[in-house]
Amino acid sequence: MERPRHQGMAKNTYMRWRLPLVCLLWEVAMIILFGVFVRFGPEADAHWEEKKREMNLTSDIENDFYFRYPSFQDVHVMIFVGFGFLMTFLKRYGFGAVGFNFLLAAFGIQWAILMQGWFHSFKSGKILIGVENLINADFCVGSVCIAFGAILGKTSPIQVLIMTLFQVTLFAVNEYILLNLLHVKDAGGSMTIHTFGAYFGLTVTRILYRPNLEQSKDKQGSVYHSDLFAMIGTLYLWMYWPSFNSAISEHGDAQHRAAINTYCSLAACVLTTVAFSSMLQKKGKLDMVHIQNATLAGGVAVGTSAEMMLTPYGSLIVGFICGIVSTVGYVYLTPFLESRLHIQDTCGIHNLHGMPGLIGGIVGAITAAAATEDVYGKEGFIKAFDFTGPYQRRTASVQGGFQAAGIVVSLLMAFGGGALVG
Amino acid sequence: MERPRHQGMAKNTYMRWRLPLVCLLWEVAMIILFGVFVRFGPEADAHWEEKKREMNLTSDIENDFYFRYPSFQDVHVMIFVGFGFLMTFLKRYGFGAVGFNFLLAAFGIQWAILMQGWFHSFKSGKILIGVENLINADFCVGSVCIAFGAILGKTSPIQVLIMTLFQVTLFAVNEYILLNLLHVKDAGGSMTIHTFGAYFGLTVTRILYRPNLEQSKDKQGSVYHSDLFAMIGTLYLWMYWPSFNSAISEHGDAQHRAAINTYCSLAACVLTTVAFSSMLQKKGKLDMVHIQNATLAGGVAVGTSAEMMLTPYGSLIVGFICGIVSTVGYVYLTPFLESRLHIQDTCGIHNLHGMPGLIGGIVGAITAAAATEDVYGKEGFIKAFDFTGPYQRRTASVQGGFQAAGIVVSLLMAFGGGALVG
Amino acid sequence: MERPRHQGMAKNTYMRWRLPLVCLLWEVAMIILFGVFVRFGPEADAHWEEKKREMNLTSDIENDFYFRYPSFQDVHVMIFVGFGFLMTFLKRYGFGAVGFNFLLAAFGIQWAILMQGWFHSFKSGKILIGVENLINADFCVGSVCIAFGAILGKTSPIQVLIMTLFQVTLFAVNEYILLNLLHVKDAGGSMTIHTFGAYFGLTVTRILYRPNLEQSKDKQGSVYHSDLFAMIGTLYLWMYWPSFNSAISEHGDAQHRAAINTYCSLAACVLTTVAFSSMLQKKGKLDMVHIQNATLAGGVAVGTSAEMMLTPYGSLIVGFICGIVSTVGYVYLTPFLESRLHIQDTCGIHNLHGMPGLIGGIVGAITAAAATEDVYGKEGFIKAFDFTGPYQRRTASVQGGFQAAGIVVSLLMAFGGGALVG
């Protein structure tokens, strides 16, 4: 029952032993580290009945599982089907994109559970995990998938796995600096996921630059069915983005609000993408690549602010702007980056994640700085920004400043880390 | 990184400036109207902590978000992937169908939030939105997607956007008449979504009739991979239809019941579709178009009654009948409509949404008229039909009469509105 | 609007009248049996308001619908899209696989609701159904889809329907013996679904063996786009498997734990599959069939133990082993089965469901036998294994013995039933 194997997946795996060895050794390492460190959190442990009494919960439905599991599954689909199929538009890398994405994500989530666990869920020597850890691991890997979009077709599976190892590590450090040291809000990850992932990937691809790659441009052509497969990726990302931005927000109103803001921003983004795609093309035809990518920029750009009181019309404005910025980026900036700065951005992640991520960070900083007790309510204000304990006295404008600092830190980590890995 | 653009999406967009202008101006109008009118509802607002006390809720899990968000995401997939990919079976409109569907839906949901908001969620000058508004906006746009199925391949993107604007407006008016003035139940929208959408689209396509279109029949051929893509659309509609019919039902038993009834009806529908498709074709072969479409008729036809005590076997009977009606419609009625009445129904929406929608309205009227306190329980009876306030004295048989009136109103609105827009 | 019909779907449906007759008669039988037996369970019945008081529930959110509906929809996608598209990798059976799978599943879920209902939900002459019954019906049909994978391309639709009828019946009997008589835990169905389904299908295909089929091997070739479609099936199965294994676990920690264990096992499985696929192929290329199938073995193999305290590293170990076993099976065992034992396993279900199912049963028996009150907590221990009523005195090691007995019973039922049906 031998079946033909496709080039995209196979062409770079020329070394018979190296890939198996890396996979097996790393997986053994994961098992040992999980064995030493990872245990079930209280809500997934069989002692839950006793904990439930301690936590004063009256019903099983108050288990965090029921608050977050549906969103987790949506995020899971975004990472594996969304990002995977979005990259199938390239004629010759269709299967390779989906397959490599599958491999890097499956490895990445294990390493992410460990790295993020040490920083955020470490209690008396153990990492205690629950559904929120699974979502965060998926988020972390999402950032690697973004960076992978820049180097698609230029690396071997082993190089991709090594990049995953380092990027997940740096992601966790950056996330720790932002969320814990700067006490910044970034539930949908405009800064931690998109800005970091995009500029990390762009730095790596700049360093991997080889001029002769330009000649193989024919491989980058798209074909009819590839475009429909890519559209599956696009639509799943677009539809489930409200789950992405709300998945780890506070229970209740914050999750609800994050979903609504993201829904609005994405809807507006589609219209300006179509408008500018049509306007900037000869004869007013639409470019498939814009429809497949720029329509998603609205989701990226409310990643930080979606759980805040951005309001539905604020979200529409953000989506409106990002559809334009992203489409214009595909038309003018990507060719410029390639010809002048020698940055070959295969999937245009600078337009979809880089710039919208930066915009998202800025919108988040402004929205936070503009927050008032009047708009949020006294309790809501404290809850929204978690102004408790040592942060009890932080004001909205100070928070805005820290949010802005978060953007800078993410950029520096991305450039530094990317240069290191590249 | 120029990539080829496909004909389906591009052929009608010959006017370089008109489409961008319409998209941008309308989106600006949306931003202004959202800015003036749309705010977060109490369950998505940061004041939720205070409201929670007022509403006497003890846990964040009682936020409407957790009752409806999973169903919302399923409905979202139905609108964008389901309806979009169902229309890809046509050889040359594959990408155009998915892309235009994306554009019209993204615009439509914004306008629907406003129109439906003014009628249903308007409080002291503001439209207060929550997850239920998002579902209703998706529903409203679903009705436009249905109508789009009749005119697929005959219109430019601008015409589609204009049709969307008018149809959403009329949908909201019709819905207001049915739900508020007639106090009719229609959670899954057999009348408001399917009957209205289908006959609206058929009226428009009748008016757009151009005889020479018949000659381009080769474009309507399907190809192998198109059929697999269309099957993705079919299956997502089929699988998520229980969520569609239960998404805005009352919390608790009504949502539960609506999902079960829809599941049963759809299962039965598949068997009669296969039976009649095989029976009516030469040599007993199955027609792909029947499998892709008629199998869904069972979901349409329990749209009104699914949340009532239709019972599982009642649902099987409805599904049984609709599989037959819909398949027979594809074989005999569609050619008849085209040759005699000059109605070119590209996707056969009359068979999938028109007739099953009417049947759904009738089944709903009968089920309502047959309701008794014995079957529903005293409290359940009042809750199921919301016989409170001014409707306290309405009886089951009177309700049945109003349900029947709802069918007639929907039909009249569809014919009138379709003629106007066409 | 005649469209071409594809061979895969059509080639076996040569008998014009038989298929329609079987479909119609069976559906009529379903209606009659549902009419006599099936009613809404208390949580889906309009009397719920009264029951809620009886059951001492304070909120509608405690309706089982909200605990299980999101998982149900994920399982639904696995059965219809997952299993359906996984089988599209064959060049000429693409559409047939999806279409037949649709037909058999739609019939099977109705019959499963009845069969499982008589055994598990029968109260005072009626089968009372709720969302859990829908999940169980989907599970039961999943077992048929697995068996269908072995005989794909060798049978007519009618034969498939007849196999479905018998297999569902035997599934329900086997499930009754395991869950009720042996009091075995098997929430994710390693034994009841995978072991039973796989060995049932293998026995049937052994009996259907016709040597000349070997010559038509060219039909089994895969093509580029088929592989991308199959990857849709793979990914949806992979992503939603945590929902599969947790869907019918106890509320609260058990569902939470089952999802985490499955997530971990599947992640590890991807790495060892890639490693061994690369290692065992000439030139280190990856075989698509391994990526599409063996990556899922980790989900199968924690089907019994996922809801137990398997721990995350335990899950990694199980996934690690199963990726290896399954890939090695594809390379060495499938050709051996075909050439020596005359078992033509079209989709390699022995490697994906057979062996991993057996491993899953064994892991479950060991995990149960190793359970202690220390690890589970006093209450948790009783809750996890339902050691109440007549099972109050059962110990962990006795439970382990019964779990092992469950494997043997499933195997015997599969061989016996398969021989009968074949």
Side-chain angles (χ1 to χ4, degrees):
Chain A
M1 256 182 51
E2 294 274 293
R3 290 193 191 84
R5 292 141 228 133
H6 300 299
Q7 286 189 294
M9 191 76 190
K11 70 184 292 266
N12 291 304
T13 55
Y14 46 85
M15 302 146 298
R16 177 149 191 180
W17 292 106
R18 250 201 256 173
L19 181 61
L21 259 179
V22 168
C23 287
L24 290 177
L25 283 179
W26 287 14
E27 192 54 50
V28 169
M30 289 298 114
I31 291 174
I32 294 169
L33 289 169
F34 268 61
V36 176
F37 290 110
V38 181
R39 295 292 179 275
F40 293 120
E43 302 189 270
D45 194 283
H47 287 86
W48 159 251
E49 282 299 318
E50 293 146 39
K51 287 279 169 194
K52 208 164 60 173
R53 275 197 298 276
E54 277 175 41
M55 294 162 82
N56 212 10
L57 301 177
T58 53
S59 163
D60 280 327
I61 195 86
E62 305 210 40
N63 193 306
D64 197 36
F65 182 77
Y66 303 103
F67 285 92
R68 304 205 187 277
Y69 189 72
S71 309
F72 158 66
Q73 276 295 0
D74 295 349
V75 171
H76 219 38
V77 171
M78 290 174 74
I79 302 298
F80 289 88
V81 164
F83 282 117
F85 275 86
L86 185 58
M87 291 186 271
T88 56
F89 69 92
L90 294 174
K91 210 185 296 180
R92 295 184 54 182
Y93 294 117
F95 199 91
V98 176
F100 285 173
N101 189 67
F102 192 19
L103 175 61
L104 83 84
F107 166 66
I109 52 179
Q110 299 177 58
W111 182 231
I113 283 178
L114 287 165
M115 279 305 302
Q116 296 180 314
W118 283 316
F119 280 122
H120 299 288
S121 313
F122 203 59
K123 261 162 215 157
S124 50
K126 300 290 174 198
I127 296 167
L128 302 179
I129 66 172
V131 66
E132 198 172 339
N133 297 68
L134 307 190
I135 299 171
N136 275 317
D138 271 25
F139 276 1
C140 177
V141 160
S143 158
V144 183
C145 297
I146 291 166
F148 179 52
I151 60 165
L152 185 62
K154 297 171 203 155
T155 50
S156 72
I158 293 177
Q159 289 177 305
V160 172
L161 282 177
I162 291 170
M163 188 184 87
T164 305
L165 183 76
F166 281 100
Q167 197 183 341
V168 166
T169 311
L170 289 165
F171 178 96
V173 173
N174 183 49
E175 191 188 41
Y176 178 74
I177 297 174
L178 263 69
L179 303 191
N180 294 48
L181 303 187
L182 301 179
H183 197 67
V184 149
K185 301 297 275 186
D186 195 20
S190 288
M191 294 178 282
T192 54
I193 302 168
H194 299 288
T195 303
F196 174 76
Y199 289 101
F200 185 94
L202 292 169
T203 312
V204 172
T205 195
R206 173 68 191 81
I207 289 162
L208 293 180
Y209 179 72
R210 278 165 296 165
N212 58 322
L213 264 175
E214 276 184 287
Q215 291 156 4
S216 65
K217 215 166 202 173
D218 62 308
K219 281 188 196 168
Q220 290 188 7
S222 74
V223 286
Y224 192 79
H225 278 119
S226 298
D227 267 339
L228 269 180
F229 279 115
M231 205 65 197
I232 293 177
T234 300
L235 285 174
Y236 273 99
L237 289 169
W238 194 90
M239 295 180 302
Y240 285 163
W241 216 293
S243 300
F244 193 93
N245 284 346
S246 68
I248 58 162
S249 291
E250 290 282 331
H251 293 173
D253 58 304
Q255 280 197 290
H256 203 149
R257 196 160 54 237
I260 296 173
N261 279 329
T262 310
Y263 177 95
C264 290
S265 177
L266 285 165
C269 192
V270 174
L271 272 92
T272 50
T273 298
V274 168
F276 273 74
S277 180
S278 166
M279 205 191 293
L280 298 175
Q281 294 294 314
K282 278 161 257 160
K283 303 183 199 163
K285 288 179 179 179
L286 295 171
D287 189 317
M288 292 303 98
V289 173
H290 304 163
I291 308 295
Q292 283 158 6
N293 289 279
T295 50
L296 301 168
V300 174
V302 295
T304 304
S305 55
E307 60 174 358
M308 303 177 190
M309 289 292 281
L310 179 60
T311 72
Y313 70 88
S315 306
L316 290 187
I317 295 172
V318 174
F320 187 94
I321 293 168
C322 283
I324 298 172
V325 168
S326 187
T327 309
V328 170
Y330 275 99
V331 178
Y332 298 114
L333 207 58
T334 300
F336 174 82
L337 287 179
E338 181 152 0
S339 60
R340 299 298 165 87
L341 302 183
H342 291 174
I343 298 172
Q344 290 168 313
D345 183 2
T346 317
C347 296
I349 62 164
H350 187 247
N351 312 305
L352 172 48
H353 300 281
M355 291 186 294
L358 286 177
I359 293 174
I362 295 165
V363 170
I366 295 171
T367 314
T372 63
E373 282 198 8
D374 194 42
V375 171
Y376 287 75
K378 204 176 155 72
E379 285 171 89
F381 184 69
I382 293 166
K383 195 182 163 194
F385 297 98
D386 197 18
F387 285 159
T388 54
Y391 305 101
Q392 216 167 343
R393 287 159 188 276
R394 196 182 268 191
T395 62
S397 51
V398 172
Q399 178 70 21
F402 277 102
Q403 296 278 147
I407 308 170
V408 179
V409 171
S410 296
L411 275 175
L412 292 178
M413 290 289 293
F415 290 131
L420 206 81
V421 172
Chain B
M1 254 177 57
E2 296 273 293
R3 290 193 190 86
R5 291 140 230 136
H6 300 299
Q7 288 190 295
M9 191 75 189
K11 71 186 288 269
N12 291 303
T13 55
Y14 47 85
M15 302 147 298
R16 179 150 187 182
W17 293 107
R18 251 203 253 173
L19 180 61
L21 258 179
V22 167
C23 286
L24 290 177
L25 284 179
W26 287 15
E27 192 54 50
V28 169
M30 289 299 113
I31 292 176
I32 294 170
L33 289 168
F34 267 61
V36 175
F37 291 110
V38 181
R39 295 293 179 274
F40 293 120
E43 302 189 271
D45 193 283
H47 286 86
W48 160 252
E49 282 299 318
E50 292 147 40
K51 287 277 169 195
K52 209 163 61 173
R53 276 197 298 275
E54 276 175 43
M55 296 161 81
N56 211 10
L57 303 176
T58 53
S59 163
D60 279 327
I61 195 86
E62 305 211 39
N63 193 307
D64 197 36
F65 182 77
Y66 303 104
F67 285 92
R68 305 206 187 277
Y69 188 72
S71 309
F72 158 67
Q73 275 296 1
D74 294 349
V75 171
H76 218 39
V77 172
M78 291 174 75
I79 302 297
F80 288 88
V81 164
F83 282 117
F85 275 85
L86 185 58
M87 292 186 271
T88 56
F89 69 91
L90 294 174
K91 210 186 295 180
R92 296 184 52 183
Y93 296 116
F95 199 90
V98 176
F100 284 175
N101 189 68
F102 192 18
L103 175 61
L104 82 83
F107 166 67
I109 51 179
Q110 300 177 57
W111 182 230
I113 283 178
L114 287 165
M115 280 304 303
Q116 296 180 314
W118 282 317
F119 280 122
H120 299 288
S121 313
F122 202 59
K123 263 162 213 158
S124 50
K126 299 292 174 199
I127 296 166
L128 301 180
I129 67 171
V131 66
E132 198 172 340
N133 297 68
L134 306 190
I135 298 170
N136 276 315
D138 271 25
F139 276 1
C140 178
V141 160
S143 158
V144 183
C145 296
I146 291 165
F148 179 54
I151 60 165
L152 185 62
K154 297 171 201 153
T155 50
S156 72
I158 294 178
Q159 290 177 305
V160 171
L161 283 177
I162 291 171
M163 189 184 86
T164 305
L165 183 77
F166 281 100
Q167 196 183 340
V168 166
T169 310
L170 289 165
F171 178 97
V173 173
N174 184 49
E175 190 186 41
Y176 178 74
I177 296 174
L178 263 67
L179 304 191
N180 295 47
L181 303 187
L182 302 178
H183 197 68
V184 150
K185 302 298 276 185
D186 195 19
S190 287
M191 295 179 281
T192 53
I193 301 168
H194 299 288
T195 303
F196 174 77
Y199 289 100
F200 185 95
L202 292 170
T203 312
V204 171
T205 195
R206 172 67 191 81
I207 288 163
L208 293 180
Y209 179 71
R210 278 166 296 164
N212 58 322
L213 265 175
E214 276 184 290
Q215 291 155 5
S216 64
K217 215 163 199 171
D218 61 308
K219 282 187 196 167
Q220 290 188 5
S222 74
V223 287
Y224 191 80
H225 277 118
S226 298
D227 266 340
L228 268 181
F229 279 115
M231 207 64 197
I232 294 178
T234 299
L235 286 174
Y236 273 99
L237 288 169
W238 194 90
M239 296 180 303
Y240 285 164
W241 216 293
S243 299
F244 193 92
N245 284 346
S246 67
I248 57 163
S249 290
E250 291 281 330
H251 293 172
D253 58 305
Q255 279 197 291
H256 203 148
R257 195 158 58 234
I260 295 173
N261 279 328
T262 311
Y263 177 94
C264 290
S265 177
L266 286 164
C269 193
V270 174
L271 271 93
T272 50
T273 298
V274 168
F276 273 74
S277 179
S278 166
M279 204 191 292
L280 298 175
Q281 294 292 315
K282 278 160 258 159
K283 302 181 198 164
K285 287 180 180 178
L286 294 171
D287 189 319
M288 292 303 100
V289 174
H290 304 163
I291 308 295
Q292 283 158 6
N293 289 279
T295 50
L296 301 168
V300 174
V302 293
T304 303
S305 55
E307 61 174 357
M308 303 178 190
M309 290 290 282
L310 180 60
T311 73
Y313 71 89
S315 306
L316 290 187
I317 295 172
V318 174
F320 187 95
I321 294 168
C322 283
I324 298 172
V325 168
S326 187
T327 309
V328 171
Y330 274 99
V331 177
Y332 297 115
L333 206 58
T334 300
F336 174 82
L337 286 179
E338 181 151 1
S339 60
R340 298 298 165 86
L341 302 183
H342 292 174
I343 297 173
Q344 290 168 313
D345 184 359
T346 316
C347 296
I349 61 164
H350 187 248
N351 312 306
L352 172 48
H353 300 280
M355 291 186 294
L358 286 176
I359 293 173
I362 295 165
V363 170
I366 295 170
T367 314
T372 62
E373 283 199 5
D374 194 43
V375 171
Y376 285 75
K378 204 177 155 68
E379 286 170 88
F381 184 67
I382 293 166
K383 195 182 164 195
F385 297 98
D386 195 19
F387 285 159
T388 54
Y391 305 100
Q392 217 166 343
R393 286 159 189 277
R394 195 183 268 192
T395 63
S397 52
V398 171
Q399 178 69 20
F402 276 102
Q403 295 278 148
I407 308 171
V408 179
V409 171
S410 296
L411 275 176
L412 292 177
M413 290 289 294
F415 290 131
L420 205 81
V421 172
Chain C
M1 259 183 48
E2 296 274 293
R3 290 195 190 84
R5 290 142 229 133
H6 299 298
Q7 287 189 295
M9 190 76 189
K11 69 183 293 266
N12 292 304
T13 56
Y14 46 85
M15 304 147 298
R16 179 148 187 181
W17 292 107
R18 249 202 256 174
L19 180 61
L21 258 178
V22 167
C23 287
L24 290 177
L25 283 179
W26 286 15
E27 192 53 51
V28 169
M30 288 300 114
I31 291 175
I32 294 169
L33 289 168
F34 267 61
V36 175
F37 291 110
V38 182
R39 296 292 179 273
F40 293 120
E43 302 189 270
D45 194 284
H47 286 86
W48 159 251
E49 281 299 317
E50 292 147 40
K51 287 278 169 195
K52 209 163 60 173
R53 276 197 298 275
E54 278 175 42
M55 295 162 81
N56 211 9
L57 302 176
T58 54
S59 163
D60 280 326
I61 196 85
E62 305 210 41
N63 193 306
D64 197 36
F65 182 78
Y66 302 104
F67 286 92
R68 305 206 187 276
Y69 189 71
S71 309
F72 158 66
Q73 276 296 0
D74 294 349
V75 171
H76 219 39
V77 171
M78 291 173 75
I79 303 298
F80 289 87
V81 164
F83 282 117
F85 275 86
L86 186 58
M87 291 186 272
T88 57
F89 69 90
L90 294 174
K91 210 186 296 181
R92 294 184 55 181
Y93 295 117
F95 200 90
V98 176
F100 284 175
N101 190 68
F102 192 19
L103 175 62
L104 81 83
F107 167 67
I109 51 178
Q110 300 177 58
W111 181 231
I113 284 179
L114 287 165
M115 280 304 302
Q116 296 180 313
W118 283 317
F119 280 121
H120 299 288
S121 312
F122 202 58
K123 262 162 214 158
S124 51
K126 301 291 173 198
I127 297 166
L128 301 180
I129 66 170
V131 66
E132 197 171 340
N133 298 67
L134 306 190
I135 298 171
N136 275 316
D138 271 26
F139 276 1
C140 177
V141 160
S143 157
V144 183
C145 297
I146 291 165
F148 179 54
I151 60 164
L152 185 63
K154 298 170 201 154
T155 50
S156 72
I158 293 178
Q159 289 176 306
V160 172
L161 283 176
I162 291 169
M163 187 184 89
T164 305
L165 184 77
F166 281 100
Q167 197 182 341
V168 166
T169 311
L170 289 165
F171 178 98
V173 173
N174 184 49
E175 190 187 39
Y176 178 75
I177 297 173
L178 264 67
L179 304 190
N180 294 48
L181 304 186
L182 302 178
H183 197 67
V184 150
K185 301 297 276 185
D186 196 19
S190 288
M191 294 178 281
T192 54
I193 301 169
H194 300 287
T195 303
F196 174 77
Y199 289 101
F200 185 96
L202 292 169
T203 313
V204 171
T205 195
R206 173 68 191 80
I207 289 163
L208 294 180
Y209 179 72
R210 278 165 298 164
N212 57 322
L213 265 174
E214 276 184 289
Q215 291 154 5
S216 64
K217 216 166 200 172
D218 62 309
K219 282 187 196 168
Q220 289 188 7
S222 74
V223 287
Y224 190 78
H225 277 118
S226 298
D227 266 340
L228 269 180
F229 279 115
M231 206 65 197
I232 294 177
T234 300
L235 286 174
Y236 273 99
L237 288 169
W238 195 91
M239 296 180 303
Y240 285 163
W241 216 294
S243 299
F244 193 92
N245 284 347
S246 68
I248 58 162
S249 290
E250 290 283 331
H251 293 172
D253 58 304
Q255 280 197 288
H256 203 148
R257 196 159 57 236
I260 295 173
N261 279 329
T262 311
Y263 177 96
C264 290
S265 177
L266 286 165
C269 192
V270 174
L271 271 93
T272 49
T273 298
V274 168
F276 272 75
S277 179
S278 167
M279 204 191 293
L280 297 175
Q281 293 294 313
K282 278 160 257 157
K283 301 181 199 164
K285 288 180 180 180
L286 295 170
D287 190 318
M288 291 303 100
V289 173
H290 305 163
I291 308 295
Q292 283 157 7
N293 289 279
T295 49
L296 301 168
V300 174
V302 293
T304 303
S305 55
E307 61 174 358
M308 302 177 190
M309 288 292 281
L310 180 60
T311 72
Y313 72 87
S315 306
L316 290 186
I317 295 171
V318 175
F320 186 94
I321 293 167
C322 283
I324 297 171
V325 168
S326 187
T327 308
V328 171
Y330 274 99
V331 177
Y332 298 115
L333 206 57
T334 301
F336 173 83
L337 287 179
E338 182 152 0
S339 61
R340 300 297 164 87
L341 302 182
H342 291 176
I343 298 173
Q344 290 168 313
D345 184 0
T346 317
C347 296
I349 61 164
H350 187 249
N351 311 306
L352 172 48
H353 300 280
M355 290 185 295
L358 285 177
I359 294 173
I362 295 164
V363 171
I366 295 169
T367 315
T372 62
E373 282 198 7
D374 194 42
V375 172
Y376 286 76
K378 203 175 155 71
E379 286 171 87
F381 185 68
I382 294 167
K383 195 182 163 194
F385 297 99
D386 195 20
F387 285 159
T388 54
Y391 305 101
Q392 219 166 340
R393 288 161 187 277
R394 196 182 269 192
T395 63
S397 51
V398 172
Q399 178 69 20
F402 276 102
Q403 296 279 147
I407 308 171
V408 179
V409 171
S410 296
L411 275 175
L412 292 177
M413 289 290 293
F415 291 132
L420 205 81
V421 172

